[in-house]
Every structure is written in C-alpha cells, then in structure tokens.
Amino acid sequence: MGKKDEGGSGTANNVYIRSEEFAWVPARLVEQDKDTAKVAIPQYKDEEFIASDGGAAAVGFKSAVVKLKDYQGRALPLQNTGADGCLKEVDDMVDLPYLHEAAILYNLKKRHCDGKPYSRVADIVIAVNPYQWLTDLYTEKVRMHYAQKIVWGQSDQDPRIGLPPHLYEVSSLCYKGLAINRQNQSILVSGESGAGKTETVKICMNHIATVQQDPDAKVQGESMVVKRILDSNPLLEAFGNAKTRRNDNSSRFGKYIMLQFHHIDPKKSGDKPRSALAGSTCEVYLLEKSRVVFHDETERTYHAFYQLLAAPDDKKTEIWKGLKGTKNESFAYVGTAPHVLIEGKEDSAHFADTNAALELIGIKGDKYITLWRAISACLQLGNLTFAAKPGDEEQTVITSKKEFKDLAELIGCDMDILEKAFVERTIKTRGEEYKVPLKFDIAKESADAFAKEIYAKTFLWLVRSINDATCAENNYAGGTSIDYGLIGLLDIFGFESFPVNGFEQLCINYCNEKLQQKFTRDIFRTVQEEYKAEGLNLDDIKYDDNSDVLDLIEGKLGIIKQLNEECVRPKGNDQAFVSKALQSNKTVPCLIQKSTFTRIEFGIHHYAGAVIYKAQDFVIRNTDTLPSDMQAAAKLCKNEIISKHLENNKSSNLGGKTEEAATTRGPPKRAKSNLTADTVMTQFKNQLSNLMKGLSETQSRYVRCVKPNTLKRKLMMQHITTMEQLRCAGVVAAVLISRSAYPSKLFHAEVVKRYGMLNEGRPKNGYPDVKSECEDICKKKLKHLETTNKAGNVQSGFAMGKTRAYFRSGCLEFLESERAKIWDKWAVKIQRPARGFIVRRRILREKYAKFAEAVIPVQSLFRLVIAKKKRATAAKDKKRMKRMGKKSKKAAVRIQAVVRGFIQRPKYREALVRKKEEQDMANQLNKMKDKLSQAEEQRKRDLEDAKFQFEQEMEEYKEKLEDQLRAEAEKQNKSAQQQTLIDESGKIIEYLRKENMKLRTQCESMKRDYKSLKENNARLMEANASASNSFNQLNEHAKGLNGTNARLIKNVDTYKKQLVKMKEDLKNRQAFYLAEAHARVAYQKTLARIVAQVQDKSRDAQLVEDVVIWALECEAEAKSERAALENAGQQAPPGGMAAAPAKKSHKPTDSDSDSDSD
C-alpha cells in the first residue's frame, strides 16, 4: 500500500496497536495487506514519555507485523493527529473523529500532563486525580464564572460551550435543573480507592452551596445550616475512613448525601427562579466492619481510634480513666501503626477538629462521653484473652481479668452477666432452654463480633445525629410542611477485582452492576437524542445490557436466593451454597464454571470483566447476627448506644418516632430469630432498590474518578491501570454505545477538506452546498462497502446527518487508505521533475570537469592583480590618515587646554575662599579653647579656697563644742563611777566589734561550703536523671517483649482453632463419603432389578448382553469403593456386592454428575 515507511514522516498513517505492557502504543502504518499490517513503532525512554507525537520524542523505531483479526473491523484504530503529526486534544472526547479506547487514553494523558484533570465524554465528566491541589481551578472567580455562565446566563445553546470541563459545570447544571426546571437531580461519583471520589463530592457540595446564594444579594458569611452541612462531612471521614494500601484517606463505606432545597417564589427573588439550601440527609452503605478487628500491617484501622489515642491525657481521662497514658500499642486492634499525616495534619489535630464538628451538630456533654466510650469499648474488647478451662477443653475462662473488669466498668454491665455472654451460648428448643459452653476460640470470635457490631451501630448513631442536625425537617423554618427539592451526591465504591475476591467484593460489584444498568440506559438515551437531532435512524443503535448478570445475582434462583436459603438451613455451609448456585444457573452464560475451581469458587462475567469469587465464610458473613446472650447483655449496659441502638439499622430518625412511641407503649415484641432475620445481602438489596428508585426519579449526572498511577506521582499516567479503570467506570461501554452503529463521525466540511481529492468526477458547476459534495464523495467511494441485513435491506457504509457524516466500522479507515494512495501518486509526480533536475546537474558537472584545471590559473592571475591594487590603495590611505591624525591631535590638545583652564579657574577661586574660611574658624576655635582652660583653672582655685575656708570654720566650731563640753563636765562634777562606766562601755563596744568580725569570717566560710554542696547536688541530680532514662528504656524493652509474647500466644490460639476446624472438616468428609457409598448401594439395588426385568422380558439378546456387561463393570467399581472404605476404617454398607451388577444400566442424571465432580 504505497511506499514503505520505517518511521519517517512520509505518507504513512498514524495508528495505535495493542501492547501487553502499555495497553495501547502509537505507531506508523507502513504496509498493509488483507490479514496483516507492517508498522513502525516509536521507542521511548519510559512509559511516561509515550505520546501521540509522530515519534518526535522517540529514541528510535522498531518494525513489527500485527494481525488485523485482533482488531475491530480488521482495521487498526487511527490517531487523532493534525498536519504536524501531533495529537489534537479536545475537551469533549465525543468530538474526536476517531473515538475508541486508545483515543480516550491518550487524550486523557495529554490533558493530565498539561495540568487539566477534567475531561468530558458527552455528559460524563472524567476527573483524573492530579495528586496536587491546583489552586487556579478552584478560585472564587472560577466558581462564579461557571455559575453565571451556566445557571444565570440566558442562552438557547448548550451553556457548556466555550467552558473547559470542570466539576463546577456538573454542580451548576444540577442546580439549574433543580431551580429552573423543578426536577430533582443527582450526581453519581464512582472510582476505585485513591481516585479522589470523596474530594470530588466535597468540591461539588461547596460549589452548590455557593451557587444557591442570590448573585445580586450581598450575603454576610454563610448560614448555620450550610455550615453544618459542610463541616459535618469530616465526621464521616473520621469514623468511616482509614489508611489502605492504595489511599491514606480511603472511605470504607458508601454514602448518598441528599441536599434539600426550598424552592423560592420568583416574585420574592427578583423574578429569578431560586432554590435555597435548607438542609441535607445522608444514607450510608456497607461499612467495612472487619477493619475494626483486623487490618494489614501497612494499613490502619479507622481514623477515630488513632485520634482518640493521640488526644491529651486530660481529654482521655475525661472520657475514661483507663485511657490515661495509653498509646496505639496499648490495644491489640490498633497495634503499631505506620505514621501518616492525613491531609497534612497529625491525629491530635484531627481530634480537635472532630470535637469541634461534634459540638457543631449538638453532640456534647453526656452524648459526647457516650460516643467516645463506645469507641473505647471496641478497643478494650480487643484486649480480652480467652483460654480453655483447666481440665475441660470444652469450657472457656477469661484470662485477662483486669481488662475484663475495666470493660465491664466502661460499658456499665454486671461482670457475671457479661462473662456468661462471652463463654456460654443459650440454646432454645420447643419449651426448653439450656446453656452450652463455648470453646475459647469461639468466645474470642464472639468478642470480635461484639466489637464490630458496637462500632457499626455507633457509626449509624453518628449518621442519625448528623441527619438530625442538618435535615431541613428539623432545622429549616418551613419544617415538614415544605416539599423540598433534592440534589443527591452518591459517593460509592467502584468495581473491584482482586486475586482473591470475597463477600464484600460480591456486594460491591452487585451495586456497580445496578448502577451500570442505569448508566447504560442514560447513555443510550443521550445517543438517541443525538441521532434524532441529526435525523438518523434510531434502529441502528445497539448495546449490551447487563440484565443477565443482575438476574444471576438477584433472580428467583440467583446467588442471593441460594445464599439466604443456605443461611436458614441448619448446618448450612459455603460448599453447599456454591453447589446449589452452580446447579440452578448452569445454563446462564455469564456464570463461570471451570474444572480447576475448588468447591467454593465460582465466577461471574461482569460488565467490567470476569471476576472469580471464593465463597470463604459467605454464610457467616451473610448472617452476621449477634448471639442472643450477647444481645441480652448489651441491653443491660449503661451506655445508651450499646443498650438501645444495637438493633437500629436506619440512617435517619425521620419517620421512626411513631414506631418508637408505639414500641414503648405496647407489649414487649417477640425476639427476632436468627433464622428469620434479614441477611446482609437482603438488607443491601433492599437499600439498593430504594436507592435506584430514588435515582430513577432524578436527572442523573456522572463523574468518573480515575487514579492515573499507583505511585501517587503528579503529571504521570500508567496506561494499564488507567485503561482498567476506564473499563470498570463504564466509560468504554459509553463509547461503544455511542458508536455502536457509527463508530466515526466528521463534520461535512472536514470530510470535503480531507477526502475531496478522491472525488474525480466532480461536476463542472460544483455542488449546491457542502453536504451534497460530502454525500457524493461517500456514495462513490463507499459503494462497495454496502451490506445486506437479515431483513434483506441494504445498509450503506455511512449516514448523512444535518451537520456531520457518520461512518460504519472500517469505512473511514478505507477512505484513509485511498487518501494515502493519492498522496503516493502525487508524491511521484512531484518527485519526477526534481529528480530530473538533479540528474541533469550531475551530467553537466561531469561534462565540464575537464575545464577545471585551466580555470584555476586564470582565477589566480585575476585575483593577484586585484589584490595588488587593493594593497597600494590601502598604503596610500594609511599615510594620509597618519598625517591627518597628527594635525588633529595638536589641535585637540590646544582646545582641551583652553577649555580645561576655563573650567578649573572658578573651582580654584572657590577653593581659596574655602581655605581662608577654614583658617578663620580654626583661629576662633583656638581662642575659645584658651578661654575655656582659663575658666577651668579659675574654677579650681575658687573650689580650693572654699574648701580651705570650710575646714577652718569646722575647726572653729569643733573647738567651741569642746569648750562647751568641758564646761558642762566641770559643772556636773563627774564622778569616778561615771568615768568607769564610760571606760567599760568602750571595752564592751570594742569586744562586740571583734565578735562581729569573727561572725563575718564564719559567714564567708559557710557561703563557700554552701556553694560546694550546691555543685555536688547538681552532679548527683544529673546522675539520677541518667539512671532514670536507662530505667525507662529497660521498661520499654520489657513492654515490647510482653507484646511479642501476646502475639505468640495469639498465633498459638489461631493454630489450635485451625486444627479443630480441620478435624471437623475431616469428620464431615468421612460422613459425606459414607453417605455417598450408601446412595450408590441403593442405586445398585435398583439397577439389579432393572437388569432382572430386562433379562426376563427383553427379546433383544444384544441388549441383554450389553446390560450385563455394564452391570459387571459397575460391580468392579463398587468393589474398589468398598476396599477404599475398609482401608479408611469405615464399615462398608451391607448389600453392596449383591446390588453392584445393576449399576451401569442406569443413565447418569445431572445430580449424579455433580456428585462425581464433587
């Protein structure tokens, strides 16, 4: 097909081919025949660099041959590239000329790497997790722009035209449909863990809260209702989210948030239809209860546990004194957890946020303590340990006495009652009731089940409290008298397929099948509207419905029915459930049965692919009821959540108040038996039915979240991971539906521009319009691709719409191949004159080659003459320039002298004046210094004179005073005794002075001693601190050894439990084989009678001989079975040998074949 291309630009077509490593890779079509195609595949450094760029970034090319039978229509899918060979990126992938899996993948990758996380496929918005917060996409300006354009703007066209894809368009369209069209709306968000579903719901909720405000009114802040709705969402994350391998903040439950709106009269809102956000309610689905008691080492249990244990000790003591000083390692259910920052915050910070949110919805005081004590009870249940009673392995004792006492005190239950609930089981028969002791492993399972049930019902209690605080019926002015409009946001778990799939995966995939059915019907309706608008035949649209899968799961003989029956049947087990399900549905094509499966394995062909389920513990998980003893003990607890709400499975208190009142007034209700209680699958099926019924009454919009890579790296996309998610999200199914009849479409003008060269018989007068020319081209070139259907009608390879031409599979690829041929033909025409010119020039060069030697001397002579002339001229110019330079230099010196003198003279005069002024100032300063020194000397002399005069006056005064004292003494005639007293007083004073000096000396010595003691004391304190640290380290090591010992004990308990189960399984198998042997004996007896009848009444000797031979073969088989039973130690059933000859005459039925396979 034209010229070979080994990777150059050439004329080759840009296509995609399948790759086991990268799903789809770009390539260039080089050659093609009927069955194969040769392609040149660009080789890139890494998957990250693979792009539809025509090989511009490739490091090389690799040739390969592909088989066309592996591709739809036996044609390779084409790339959506421009003239430059690079991908043409589009916002809405329905606008891609060539729409298929590879086109979607590479368009998403291009947008993701360009920082554009959102794309469209018709009404579906695909949100690729960017693993970074793109601030520019979520500013207030962007919010209001989408609101003004979509909600408040007046336009007859699609309001999304001109707007890039965004979540804001979904929320704006929902609000517009609710406020203007008065039709309830819903947004269905799906995707696998880590794809960003929860964050997507938050963004939509925040934008709806912004849009619902009047754009012309100046609102000061947000209302309390809106604040409660937005701020209560973190509570669901705290108690319902956990760290998994795929996501640090993964929702382990599904939720359907219904925003309630009050339709405001347009007269009151300025003739603008508005709906005000009045409240919200929330429904939750399938909380992962098993995570409470077990989680992988690299994962964590629910955030609430870590937040509680990271709280300050005063807060923990306020909740329960047993929490003081505890850590994650203090509780077995939590253990050593990997340290992660959830949304950039520590668990202690999240605890404060959670408490603030609880207070916002009214959970404070006693309610607050009750909630956290219920969570603490779950933790404490994990620390209980059980062991067999000494001397009696059938009975159990609680070995963790202190932990059990703390638990009983925490939940407010009598220790004896609680202990019996753990170690005994009440069995009720007709008119009798008796206690049966439990083994220690069963008792441990009961404790785990109690913890799971408490947490699940605490979560539902919290959801009901949130609904009470946010629902419009309780918090809006109109109350229950208003008919509220709804916008629902469904955040549901995506399709799951793991190496081992269990009960949870079956429930999740069942839910996704129900949603896929609605999704498919909505997409089909969208395609119908497009074809109707284009004037195309609607009968050509075909799509695969998944009703057969839903019938297999929820039909009359479906999996749910068989599982429920096995749960009711005494001693029902997983193996019997699988056997009955396979037998009842063996003709259903979507059920997978293989000989390599074990007896508890089966498979289902889901819309996203085949999933193999292992029915391990299906019956137990589906029953999921607490023993009656445990329920009775729970009702006696003082904790209100445990005592009153363990049987409440509702997510809302609305509509339940009347029932509660009737319950309290009437006689006590009869306890519900475990055999008649709704199973988990039944409850989930009812929830799904109500959900689908509610969704069917809304206009649904879809958001499909995609996780681009498993490394959580930004701007990187892994092809295999992304492609699997697109299939699971139904995006590929939507493409198949939209292109079921016509996989490709182009505008009329684009068809004429691209394929006009194929129209050789163009009329002279041209065409009346572009559509006519497009139709003429397609009729001429696609005539041979017409087919005849079963009804005998001729189907053309194309259809002409009002604005576009639609092509069936393979037609557009044929036009591309014809176009390539034309390009090859024109290339030859263009190359012919160019190649002729090149050849002629080569011939002329060869002809005139002999003149080359003569040309060189002539050229040399001419060049020599020219060079001499140039040299003489240059010498003359040099001399002239030298003379002119000297004259110019002299003139310049003279001019510079005059100018510099003129400039410097004023400066010199100014300098002289400044120097004279400085000298005058220096003289004045010296004079002032002299005067200052003289004044200082005069002052000193005056001071000395005054001092001398003062001393003289003091001497005179002293003398006068002494004279007065003598006179006074003489007058008084001092006696000798007085003089003695004076002398003694002087001696005493002198003695006291000496004693004072001694005391001062001693005080100084004591200070020095005190300083030395202080230093010694500091050294001793440092030594004490070091010893304390060593002791703490030894203590921590001892705690670690205790934890290791506890884990070893737990492992021993697990192994013992497994051994008991293996013994029971062995007994069951022996009983099964013995029963089968008895059944075979019964068959043999019947067969013997049949043989006897044949021998007596049959006249056909050959028939009698064949029957006898069969009977002998059957006898041989019976002997081998009897020998096997005797070797196994079982007593063979009597009469086996006598009945053996009659076995083979009986044709095997379906049940026989099933037994043999078992």
Side-chain angles (χ1 to χ4, degrees):
M1 173 193 157
K3 185 179 177 181
K4 296 183 180 181
D5 191 340
E6 295 300 330
S9 56
T11 60
N13 293 322
N14 293 320
V15 296
Y16 293 106
I17 63 172
R18 298 184 189 276
S19 169
E20 293 183 0
E21 186 178 1
F22 304 121
W24 293 94
V25 294
R28 283 185 175 276
L29 181 60
V30 180
E31 285 183 329
Q32 181 175 337
D33 54 29
K34 185 178 180 181
D35 298 321
T36 61
K38 184 178 180 181
V39 294
I41 308 172
Q43 302 298 304
Y44 297 87
K45 294 180 181 179
D46 195 1
E47 182 180 19
E48 187 176 353
F49 299 98
I50 299 177
S52 295
D53 58 356
V59 296
F61 285 82
K62 176 183 177 182
S63 296
V65 177
V66 296
K67 297 180 180 179
L68 296 180
K69 68 178 183 179
D70 299 331
Y71 297 85
Q72 185 179 7
R74 300 180 67 85
L76 298 178
L78 300 174
Q79 298 182 31
N80 297 285
T81 54
D84 57 352
C86 294
L87 182 70
K88 292 192 298 184
E89 173 198 321
V90 296
D91 291 341
D92 192 340
M93 286 182 283
V94 172
D95 296 332
L96 290 171
Y98 316 117
L99 183 57
H100 40 73
E101 281 189 10
I104 293 176
L105 174 65
Y106 279 88
N107 193 76
L108 283 177
K109 183 174 183 178
K110 178 72 165 57
R111 293 179 63 82
H112 174 65
C113 295
D114 291 343
K116 301 174 183 177
Y118 301 116
S119 303
R120 294 192 201 102
V121 178
D123 291 334
I124 310 168
V125 173
I126 301 177
V128 181
N129 191 343
Y131 290 115
Q132 58 179 326
W133 183 256
L134 303 174
T135 307
D136 295 341
L137 293 180
Y138 309 104
T139 61
E140 187 66 24
K141 182 179 179 181
V142 175
R143 286 187 180 190
M144 297 313 299
H145 177 65
Y146 276 83
Q148 291 289 348
K149 182 81 173 178
I150 297 177
V151 180
W152 310 116
Q154 300 294 330
S155 176
D156 296 334
Q157 297 180 342
D158 187 347
R160 298 178 298 173
I161 296 177
L163 288 175
H166 203 295
L167 289 177
Y168 290 163
E169 78 180 43
V170 179
S171 51
S172 298
L173 286 171
C174 281
Y175 182 77
K176 183 178 183 179
L178 179 72
I180 297 177
N181 302 330
R182 294 296 194 261
Q183 183 179 4
N184 292 340
Q185 307 286 314
S186 60
I187 302 175
L188 277 60
V189 182
S190 67
E192 73 170 42
S193 179
K197 300 187 298 296
T198 303
E199 196 64 34
T200 297
V201 171
K202 289 182 189 176
I203 293 172
C204 290
M205 286 179 61
N206 280 281
H207 189 239
I208 292 173
T210 302
V211 174
Q212 59 95 28
Q213 298 178 358
D214 189 348
D216 299 329
K218 295 183 178 179
V219 181
Q220 299 294 331
E222 57 185 0
S223 66
M224 182 56 67
V225 174
V226 176
K227 182 175 177 60
R228 282 182 180 177
I229 293 173
L230 298 180
D231 291 352
S232 61
N233 195 57
L235 282 179
L236 296 177
E237 292 187 19
F239 289 85
N241 287 23
K243 179 193 181 306
T244 64
R245 290 177 179 269
R246 298 182 177 184
N247 186 10
D248 290 343
N249 192 23
S250 175
S251 298
R252 309 315 301 160
F253 67 102
K255 62 176 179 288
Y256 183 47
I257 301 173
M258 291 166 283
L259 302 178
Q260 300 170 298
F261 290 84
H262 175 212
H263 298 304
I264 300 176
D265 189 354
K267 296 180 180 179
K268 298 181 181 179
S269 59
D271 294 331
K272 290 183 179 179
R274 275 192 64 234
S275 296
L277 183 59
S280 74
T281 59
C282 179
E283 288 280 344
V284 295
Y285 308 95
L286 278 186
L287 178 71
E288 187 184 13
K289 296 195 292 186
S290 59
R291 186 169 290 272
V292 176
V293 300
F294 174 78
H295 58 86
D296 193 78
E297 291 182 357
T298 59
E299 298 182 349
R300 303 204 320 173
T301 183
Y302 290 103
H303 295 331
F305 293 126
Y306 301 96
Q307 293 179 12
L308 176 61
L309 296 176
D313 275 346
D314 56 339
K315 292 287 186 181
K316 292 196 286 188
T317 305
E318 179 186 357
I319 296 169
W320 178 44
K321 63 181 181 180
L323 292 174
K324 184 177 182 181
T326 55
K327 298 182 295 184
N328 294 340
E329 294 77 8
S330 303
F331 297 96
Y333 285 162
V334 180
T336 303
H339 180 266
V340 292
L341 296 179
I342 307 301
E343 296 182 349
K345 292 184 179 180
E346 295 283 355
D347 292 322
S348 56
H350 280 296
F351 179 76
D353 296 341
T354 300
N355 285 344
L358 288 172
E359 186 174 357
L360 183 66
I361 64 171
I363 297 180
K364 49 190 176 182
D366 292 340
K367 282 188 175 181
Y368 171 84
I369 300 298
T370 300
L371 169 65
W372 284 114
R373 284 191 174 180
I375 301 299
S376 303
C378 296
L379 291 173
Q380 191 65 13
L381 280 165
N383 287 352
L384 297 184
T385 56
F386 302 86
K389 186 176 181 180
D392 188 358
E393 293 186 355
E394 298 297 324
Q395 297 190 31
T396 302
V397 294
I398 301 176
T399 56
S400 52
K401 298 297 183 182
K402 181 181 183 303
E403 287 78 4
F404 178 72
K405 181 180 179 182
D406 292 342
L407 173 66
E409 179 186 352
L410 174 61
I411 63 178
C413 183
D414 184 78
M415 291 182 62
D416 294 335
I417 296 175
L418 189 60
E419 183 178 8
K420 290 180 180 179
F422 280 125
V423 301
E424 293 181 352
R425 184 67 47 83
T426 299
I427 304 298
K428 296 181 180 179
T429 59
R430 295 180 179 180
E432 294 183 2
E433 179 178 314
Y434 55 92
K435 300 284 186 180
V436 175
L438 298 179
K439 295 183 179 180
F440 68 92
D441 53 344
I442 305 298
K444 180 58 179 175
E445 290 179 359
S446 299
D448 292 342
F450 195 30
K452 292 188 290 185
E453 192 69 14
I454 290 176
Y455 192 85
K457 295 308 164 59
T458 302
F459 183 71
L460 284 176
W461 178 87
L462 179 63
V463 172
R464 290 193 295 272
S465 300
I466 294 174
N467 287 336
D468 289 343
T470 58
C471 68
E473 290 81 357
N474 295 343
N475 301 279
Y476 196 64
T480 57
S481 62
I482 298 176
D483 185 14
Y484 297 101
L486 297 177
I487 295 181
L489 295 102
L490 181 65
D491 177 4
I492 205 73
F493 13 68
F495 184 87
E496 290 187 353
S497 178
F498 301 122
V500 179
N501 301 283
F503 183 75
E504 287 80 5
Q505 280 70 46
L506 179 61
C507 294
I508 289 172
N509 294 341
Y510 168 46
C511 172
N512 279 272
E513 287 286 354
K514 296 284 284 186
L515 294 174
Q516 180 66 18
Q517 186 181 52
K518 174 176 172 52
F519 173 73
T520 304
R521 291 172 179 173
D522 290 347
I523 296 300
F524 178 69
R525 191 181 305 112
T526 303
V527 176
Q528 280 184 320
E529 293 174 358
E530 179 188 353
Y531 279 25
K532 188 175 181 181
E534 289 286 341
L536 302 181
N537 186 7
L538 300 178
D539 296 335
D540 294 331
I541 309 175
K542 299 177 181 179
Y543 70 96
D544 294 331
D545 193 6
N546 64 339
S547 57
D548 56 340
V549 179
L550 291 174
D551 289 341
L552 172 63
I553 297 176
E554 62 182 9
K556 292 182 178 180
L557 297 176
I559 292 174
I560 295 178
K561 182 72 173 178
Q562 300 293 342
L563 183 57
N564 288 342
E565 288 182 356
E566 200 63 25
C567 291
V568 173
R569 189 176 67 87
K571 296 185 179 180
N573 57 78
D574 301 324
Q575 183 176 333
F577 151 66
V578 174
S579 177
K580 291 180 180 178
L582 294 178
Q583 181 65 25
S584 301
N585 301 278
K586 60 183 178 182
T587 59
V588 178
C590 60
L591 180 66
I592 302 174
Q593 304 182 57
K594 292 184 180 180
S595 58
T596 57
F597 286 174
T598 63
R599 294 182 178 181
I600 58 172
E601 286 184 337
F602 65 94
I604 300 176
H605 282 291
H606 290 284
Y607 72 93
V611 180
I612 308 302
Y613 296 97
K614 187 174 183 180
Q616 185 77 35
D617 296 333
F618 266 39
V619 174
I620 296 175
R621 289 174 182 267
N622 191 42
T623 306
D624 195 31
T625 55
L626 276 179
S628 56
D629 303 80
M630 197 67 71
Q631 293 179 2
K635 291 179 180 179
L636 299 176
C637 295
K638 293 181 181 179
N639 188 292
E640 183 178 355
I641 296 177
I642 300 176
S643 61
K644 296 182 180 180
H645 296 277
L646 284 191
E647 296 181 357
N648 191 348
N649 294 316
K650 297 180 180 179
S651 296
S652 175
N653 290 324
L654 296 177
K657 296 180 180 179
T658 307
E659 297 177 5
E660 291 179 6
T663 303
T664 54
R665 289 194 301 269
K669 294 171 65 177
R670 180 181 176 183
K672 212 171 189 181
S673 171
N674 291 345
L675 300 179
T676 61
D678 286 342
T679 62
V680 173
M681 283 294 280
T682 302
Q683 295 175 13
F684 187 54
K685 179 183 177 182
N686 295 335
Q687 279 187 311
L688 274 183
S689 299
N690 294 333
L691 173 64
M692 301 310 297
K693 181 180 179 182
L695 291 177
S696 64
E697 298 172 355
T698 66
Q699 182 179 1
S700 299
R701 306 185 187 277
Y702 298 90
V703 178
R704 295 298 188 245
C705 298
V706 176
K707 182 168 67 173
N709 61 79
T710 57
L711 305 177
K712 301 179 183 178
R713 283 178 53 188
K714 59 184 180 181
L715 305 181
M716 175 186 174
M717 180 171 285
Q718 295 173 335
H719 295 184
I720 296 290
T721 300
T722 305
M723 205 67 250
E724 288 176 352
Q725 292 178 74
L726 291 176
R727 293 191 186 103
C728 294
V731 176
V732 175
V735 173
L736 294 176
I737 293 172
S738 63
R739 299 299 174 91
S740 59
Y742 303 102
S744 305
K745 59 184 178 181
L746 290 173
F747 287 103
H748 296 152
E750 192 170 351
V751 173
V752 173
K753 179 180 178 182
R754 189 169 184 83
Y755 306 113
M757 64 181 70
L758 304 178
N759 191 7
E760 298 176 353
R762 186 181 292 104
K764 296 181 180 179
N765 298 329
Y767 296 92
D769 52 26
V770 177
K771 180 179 179 182
S772 301
E773 183 177 2
C774 175
E775 187 172 5
D776 188 40
I777 295 172
C778 294
K779 283 182 178 179
K780 292 177 180 178
K781 290 298 177 181
L782 301 178
K783 179 71 175 176
H784 68 288
L785 295 178
E786 292 180 351
T787 58
T788 304
N789 58 17
K790 296 180 180 179
N793 299 323
V794 178
Q795 290 184 336
S796 176
F798 71 98
M800 298 302 297
K802 295 179 180 179
T803 61
R804 301 183 184 186
Y806 291 78
F807 300 91
R808 294 190 185 275
S809 177
C811 294
L812 203 59
E813 288 78 6
F814 172 76
L815 292 178
E816 282 291 329
S817 65
E818 293 297 313
R819 178 172 174 264
K821 292 178 182 179
I822 296 295
W823 280 116
D824 286 347
K825 181 179 177 181
W826 287 0
V828 172
K829 290 181 180 180
I830 294 172
Q831 289 172 359
R832 185 184 301 140
R835 289 178 176 176
F837 171 75
I838 294 171
V839 171
R840 285 192 294 272
R841 189 174 64 175
R842 188 177 67 249
I843 292 172
L844 288 173
R845 284 181 177 177
E846 293 175 355
K847 182 178 179 180
Y848 294 105
K850 58 184 177 180
F851 300 110
E853 296 179 358
V855 170
I856 294 174
V858 175
Q859 289 179 347
S860 300
L861 180 61
F862 273 98
R863 288 171 181 168
L864 177 62
V865 173
I866 293 171
K868 286 182 178 180
K869 288 182 178 180
K870 287 183 178 179
R871 183 178 179 186
T873 304
K876 291 179 181 180
D877 291 342
K878 185 176 181 181
K879 290 179 180 180
R880 184 171 54 81
M881 292 302 295
K882 189 174 182 181
R883 289 194 301 268
M884 290 296 293
K886 290 181 179 180
K887 291 181 181 179
S888 299
K889 186 176 180 180
K890 290 180 181 179
V893 170
R894 290 179 182 177
I895 294 170
Q896 288 176 357
V898 174
V899 173
R900 287 173 179 170
F902 177 77
I903 294 172
Q904 290 297 327
R905 275 190 289 272
K907 294 181 179 179
Y908 179 71
R909 294 191 191 99
E910 292 178 0
L912 290 176
V913 172
R914 284 199 301 272
K915 186 174 182 181
K916 185 177 180 181
E917 291 177 353
E918 289 175 357
Q919 289 178 353
D920 294 340
M921 291 293 292
N923 294 333
Q924 291 179 5
L925 184 61
N926 290 332
K927 290 180 181 179
M928 291 180 68
K929 286 182 179 179
D930 294 339
K931 290 181 180 180
L932 184 61
S933 60
Q934 291 175 2
E936 181 66 20
E937 292 176 356
Q938 182 64 35
R939 185 186 65 79
K940 289 181 179 179
R941 286 195 296 271
D942 294 341
L943 183 60
E944 289 177 356
D945 294 342
K947 182 179 179 181
F948 179 73
Q949 186 176 358
F950 176 74
E951 289 177 352
Q952 285 183 346
E953 290 177 355
M954 287 299 294
E955 288 292 335
E956 292 176 356
Y957 181 75
K958 187 177 180 180
E959 290 177 356
K960 288 181 180 179
L961 184 60
E962 289 177 353
D963 293 341
Q964 289 178 1
L965 287 173
R966 285 194 209 95
E968 188 68 26
E970 290 176 356
K971 290 179 180 179
Q972 293 179 356
N973 293 322
K974 289 182 182 179
S975 64
Q977 293 178 353
Q978 290 176 341
Q979 187 63 36
T980 303
L981 289 172
I982 291 172
D983 295 338
E984 290 179 354
S985 298
K987 292 180 180 179
I988 291 172
I989 290 170
E990 185 66 24
Y991 174 75
L992 291 174
R993 188 181 294 111
K994 291 179 180 179
E995 290 296 323
N996 188 23
M997 290 298 294
K998 290 180 181 179
L999 290 174
R1000 284 184 180 178
T1001 304
Q1002 292 177 357
C1003 183
E1004 292 295 331
S1005 176
M1006 291 178 68
K1007 284 183 179 179
R1008 288 192 297 270
D1009 294 340
Y1010 173 73
K1011 185 176 181 181
S1012 176
L1013 290 173
K1014 188 175 181 182
E1015 292 176 352
N1016 292 334
N1017 188 28
R1019 287 194 295 271
L1020 289 173
M1021 290 180 67
E1022 291 177 357
N1024 188 23
S1026 175
S1028 177
N1029 291 333
S1030 300
F1031 178 76
N1032 290 334
Q1033 291 176 357
L1034 290 173
N1035 193 18
E1036 289 295 329
H1037 181 65
K1039 289 183 179 179
L1041 292 176
N1042 291 335
T1044 304
N1045 189 25
R1047 286 194 295 272
L1048 291 174
I1049 292 174
K1050 185 176 180 181
N1051 291 337
V1052 171
D1053 294 341
T1054 304
Y1055 296 149
K1056 288 182 178 179
K1057 176 181 173 182
Q1058 292 175 355
L1059 181 60
V1060 171
K1061 287 185 177 180
M1062 289 175 65
K1063 289 180 178 178
E1064 293 177 355
D1065 184 51
L1066 182 59
K1067 292 179 181 178
N1068 292 334
R1069 287 178 182 272
Q1070 290 176 348
F1072 172 80
Y1073 287 128
L1074 186 59
E1076 186 178 8
H1078 281 283
R1080 294 249 178 170
V1081 169
Y1083 290 149
Q1084 291 167 10
K1085 290 180 179 179
T1086 305
L1087 199 56
R1089 290 194 296 272
I1090 294 173
V1091 171
Q1093 291 292 330
V1094 170
Q1095 290 175 342
D1096 294 339
K1097 298 182 179 181
S1098 177
R1099 297 180 180 179
D1100 189 347
Q1102 183 64 37
L1103 176 61
V1104 172
E1105 183 180 355
D1106 291 342
V1107 170
V1108 171
I1109 291 173
W1110 294 341
L1112 292 174
E1113 292 176 356
C1114 186
E1115 180 181 1
E1117 290 182 7
K1119 286 181 179 180
S1120 62
E1121 290 184 1
R1122 184 180 183 87
L1125 287 172
E1126 290 175 352
N1127 293 334
Q1130 298 290 335
Q1131 183 180 357
M1137 297 299 292
K1143 182 178 179 181
K1144 271 296 180 178
S1145 65
H1146 174 64
K1147 294 183 180 179
T1149 62
D1150 293 339
S1151 60
D1152 296 334
S1153 61
D1154 289 346
S1155 300
D1156 293 340
S1157 65
D1158 289 340

